[in-house]
Structure formats: structure tokens, C-alpha cells
Amino acid sequence: MNYKKYNMALFLIVLSMATIKPCYAIEPLSYKDDISPSLKVTLGAYLKDQLKTDISLYTFAPTDLNSDGQDEYILKSKQCTEIENICKYLIFAEKKENILLLLQNDVKDIMLAGTSSHGVKDILVFQNEKNDFNFDIYMWSPREKKYILSKE
């Protein structure tokens, strides 16, 4: 009788392991200090003219947000405030040598979501220093041609 219980327990364990789906952690973006010289000139001019800031104040995380084979660029300020742990983040796309600002935010951190809206990856925006499960989702708006705060 104990042999039947053991086999049944073993069967249930194996069955439950076969149906478990893996969990995927959100990985932080990988920032680097340099980008291509031509993009550096174009983006540097945009930052200076439009946002009154200097490109040397940012690090860059190239990432393809819409799976078109072209990287968009997430910029993170090198001068984050240590007291509040807040950084300026900018997301740009380059289109025919023009720069498009897709998102600008001063927050704790941003990461790519595992979801997409209209074929463009959603952005997770973290503002709560004590709770990493408290975040806003920014989704792509084709009408506005930029990221907007999700209404969910």
C-alpha cells in the first residue's frame, strides 16, 4: 500500500514539473559611454538645440524597440541625484538623419517590458525607491508618435 502512495506522489511531482512554465526576470539595460561618431554629432546637436544639455552628460543603451533592425537609444544621465536616486532618461529614434524624442522622464529606473503595444516594446518606469513592484507602464502611441503613460 505504501508503494502505491509513493508511486502516486512521484507521478504527481513529475507531472507538476512538466507543466511548470519558466519565469523570466527583467534584465537591466546595458549602458555604454560611446555611440557612433555620426549619431553622436546628430544627437549632440539635437540635445544642445532642443533640450539645452550636452551629450557628454549621458550614457547610452542601444536597443531595437520595434524589431525593425535599427537601434533606438535610451540615454541615462551620468549625474543622477544620489539623495533621491533619480536620473534623467531620454529615449530617441533616428529617422532619416532626424532625431525623434520618444520619451523624457526623471525617475529611479527604466526597463524594457516583456510586452509590446502596436509592435513597439513597452517601457517600465520605476519611481518608488522602496518597492520595485510599483511601476508605471509606458506604451507606444502611433497617433502621438511617442510613449505615453498606459491607462491601466
Side-chain angles (χ1 to χ4, degrees):
M1 187 83 158
N2 283 339
Y3 184 67
K4 280 187 172 182
K5 287 182 182 179
Y6 173 76
N7 282 340
M8 183 56 88
L10 183 61
F11 173 75
L12 291 174
I13 290 171
V14 170
L15 181 64
S16 68
M17 291 176 68
T19 59
I20 294 175
K21 294 183 180 179
C23 293
Y24 298 100
I26 299 172
E27 294 185 30
L29 294 163
S30 177
Y31 292 91
K32 57 184 184 177
D33 285 330
D34 210 6
I35 53 175
S36 73
S38 62
L39 181 60
K40 195 170 196 172
V41 169
T42 307
L43 186 55
Y46 180 92
L47 289 171
K48 184 178 180 183
D49 296 342
Q50 301 297 317
L51 302 179
K52 310 297 185 227
T53 187
D54 192 83
I55 195 165
S56 66
L57 300 175
Y58 296 90
T59 58
F60 312 93
T63 185
D64 188 0
L65 295 173
N66 57 357
S67 302
D68 66 351
Q70 293 286 112
D71 281 336
E72 285 73 36
Y73 291 87
I74 301 174
L75 280 64
K76 177 182 177 182
S77 173
K78 292 179 182 177
Q79 301 175 334
C80 301
T81 60
E82 292 183 25
I83 296 170
E84 297 177 19
N85 199 20
I86 299 296
C87 294
K88 177 177 283 304
Y89 288 90
L90 306 166
I91 301 179
F92 290 100
E94 183 180 26
K95 185 175 180 181
K96 297 181 182 178
E97 297 185 26
N98 289 321
I99 299 297
L100 303 172
L101 178 62
L102 308 178
L103 179 69
Q104 178 177 351
N105 224 325
D106 294 338
V107 295
K108 178 184 170 203
D109 200 4
I110 66 172
M111 294 183 188
L112 300 180
T115 57
S116 296
S117 300
H118 307 285
V120 181
K121 292 179 184 173
D122 296 332
I123 304 292
L124 304 179
V125 175
F126 299 85
Q127 298 188 51
N128 189 328
E129 190 161 325
K130 296 180 181 173
N131 185 354
D132 284 340
F133 294 103
N134 183 4
F135 55 84
D136 292 323
I137 300 173
Y138 280 75
M139 57 186 276
W140 179 251
S141 170
R143 188 182 58 166
E144 296 185 39
K145 297 185 179 176
K146 66 178 185 176
Y147 279 96
I148 60 170
L149 182 61
S150 173
K151 294 177 183 165
E152 293 180 17

